[in-house]
Amino acid sequence: MKKYFYVISIQYLGYRFHGWQKQPNLKTLHLMVDRTLNYILDGKSFKTLCAGRTDAMVSAEQAAFELFLQEPIEDPKSFLELFNYNLPQDIRALDIQEVDEKFNIIQHSKIKEYHYLFTCGEKCHPFCAPIMTTILDDLNIDLMKQGAKRFEGEHYFKSYCYKPTEHGVYTREIMLSELSENTIYKANYFPKRSFLYRVKGKGFMRNQIRLMMGALIDLGKGELTLEDLEKSLLPGNDLRREYIAPASGLILKRIEFL
């Protein structure tokens, strides 16, 4: 039987979800997407596979999943409209593209860009909580900017992997790592100043970006030095980073398939 393959781009606010992957008795993004598809496909056989799982409360401006069907979608535009009409309001489908059977959304080469949004030194409006992390301590932002640049390039990132094993591949390349004042995300209840950490690469390990952001926060608090951070990236080191930055500040900005 012939099969049909589609890549659907979506965006979502992750604050009320327990991540992407289906879990018993928990509300997840995969559960809501599959439940909606099952309804609009009227029970026809289908399967979905995500380009990468996100943790609980992590949001995405542009994520993607692959849809496997046994019948073609005759009118993709109408399908997308129907999908959006039935999705919950914190999930939106952006685009649908047909691909061939050679495409594998997990194995296909891709670049991911993440943003981490945060502020410091004051208690913020509660409406900020879904997408912004508030650090009540004052932070040395200039030192954090220097630290962010230390992550760029090829380094040994075992210290930035949650529960690493002896057989993992920890030498990886970060294509972009920079911290700057936030000029992208705006709301009238945001604090006067907020900051954005941008990081881009071909693949990230479990909690890697949140561990990297945790190191930058510790650097900003004076609990870590630039020398400590540099040592944590040296091949073969056994240094462990313990502080994982809160998930709600992390946003998957985009996925680029190569």
Side-chain angles (χ1 to χ4, degrees):
M1 180 179 293
K2 184 176 180 180
K3 293 184 179 181
Y4 299 86
F5 310 85
Y6 301 88
V7 171
I8 298 179
S9 298
I10 60 171
Q11 57 187 188
Y12 51 82
L13 181 66
Y15 198 62
R16 75 182 181 105
F17 295 105
H18 290 265
W20 173 266
Q21 186 176 6
K22 289 179 183 177
Q23 301 176 59
N25 304 315
L26 292 175
K27 185 173 288 185
T28 69
L29 289 149
H30 197 182
L31 173 68
M32 299 307 295
V33 164
D34 275 11
R35 183 179 290 174
T36 304
L37 286 169
N38 188 61
Y39 176 73
I40 67 173
L41 291 169
D42 198 24
K44 294 176 183 176
S45 178
F46 73 92
K47 178 183 176 182
T48 53
L49 192 61
C50 186
R53 297 176 295 180
T54 48
D55 294 336
M57 297 196 296
V58 174
S59 298
E61 282 204 63
Q62 189 254 311
F65 69 89
E66 190 169 0
L67 173 63
F68 303 82
L69 294 172
Q70 294 180 351
E71 297 180 15
I73 295 174
E74 300 295 347
D75 185 347
K77 182 179 178 182
S78 296
F79 178 88
L80 204 66
E81 290 175 355
L82 183 62
F83 191 31
N84 273 320
Y85 189 85
N86 288 280
L87 280 169
Q89 63 179 358
D90 41 10
I91 306 175
R92 180 170 70 159
L94 301 172
D95 183 54
I96 181 170
Q97 298 289 334
E98 186 171 6
V99 293
D100 60 30
E101 69 276 4
K102 296 179 182 178
F103 182 87
N104 183 300
I105 199 164
I106 295 178
Q107 297 177 359
H108 198 91
S109 183
K110 51 189 170 286
I111 295 172
K112 292 183 180 181
E113 179 177 343
Y114 284 89
H115 289 179
Y116 195 96
L117 184 63
F118 71 100
T119 188
C120 61
E122 62 175 312
K123 186 76 172 182
C124 293
H125 194 294
F127 289 2
C128 296
I131 62 167
M132 180 184 293
T133 291
T134 300
I135 306 298
L136 294 179
D137 306 87
D138 288 323
L139 298 175
N140 185 333
I141 298 297
D142 288 338
L143 190 60
M144 292 173 70
K145 289 179 179 178
Q146 296 177 53
K149 279 297 173 187
R150 298 298 198 276
F151 287 126
E152 256 181 20
E154 187 175 283
H155 302 287
Y156 185 73
F157 283 99
K158 187 175 182 180
S159 299
Y160 299 92
C161 177
Y162 180 70
K163 293 185 178 179
T165 68
E166 293 304 314
H167 306 291
V169 179
Y170 301 113
T171 300
R172 299 184 177 230
E173 181 184 7
I174 299 294
M175 303 167 70
L176 172 73
S177 175
E178 65 178 22
L179 194 151
S180 61
E181 192 149 341
N182 168 42
T183 59
I184 296 177
Y185 302 96
K186 297 293 182 181
N188 59 8
Y189 50 81
F190 274 15
K192 289 183 179 179
R193 294 186 75 199
S194 57
F195 303 93
L196 191 69
Y197 176 47
R198 296 178 60 211
V199 59
K200 184 188 293 189
K202 287 189 175 182
F204 297 96
M205 299 171 290
R206 187 179 180 191
N207 289 152
Q208 180 179 345
I209 296 171
R210 290 170 59 197
L211 281 162
M212 290 163 63
M213 187 66 220
L216 295 180
I217 292 170
D218 283 346
L219 188 66
K221 288 180 178 180
E223 298 175 2
L224 188 74
T225 66
L226 282 175
E227 184 180 16
D228 293 332
L229 191 150
E230 290 168 352
K231 286 180 179 178
S232 72
L233 297 170
L234 293 177
N237 82 82
D238 289 321
L239 298 173
R240 295 271 72 80
R241 294 300 312 155
E242 300 294 338
Y243 176 44
I244 301 176
S248 56
L250 185 59
I251 300 166
L252 173 57
K253 176 64 176 177
R254 63 174 62 88
I255 298 176
E256 302 173 31
F257 293 103
L258 304 178

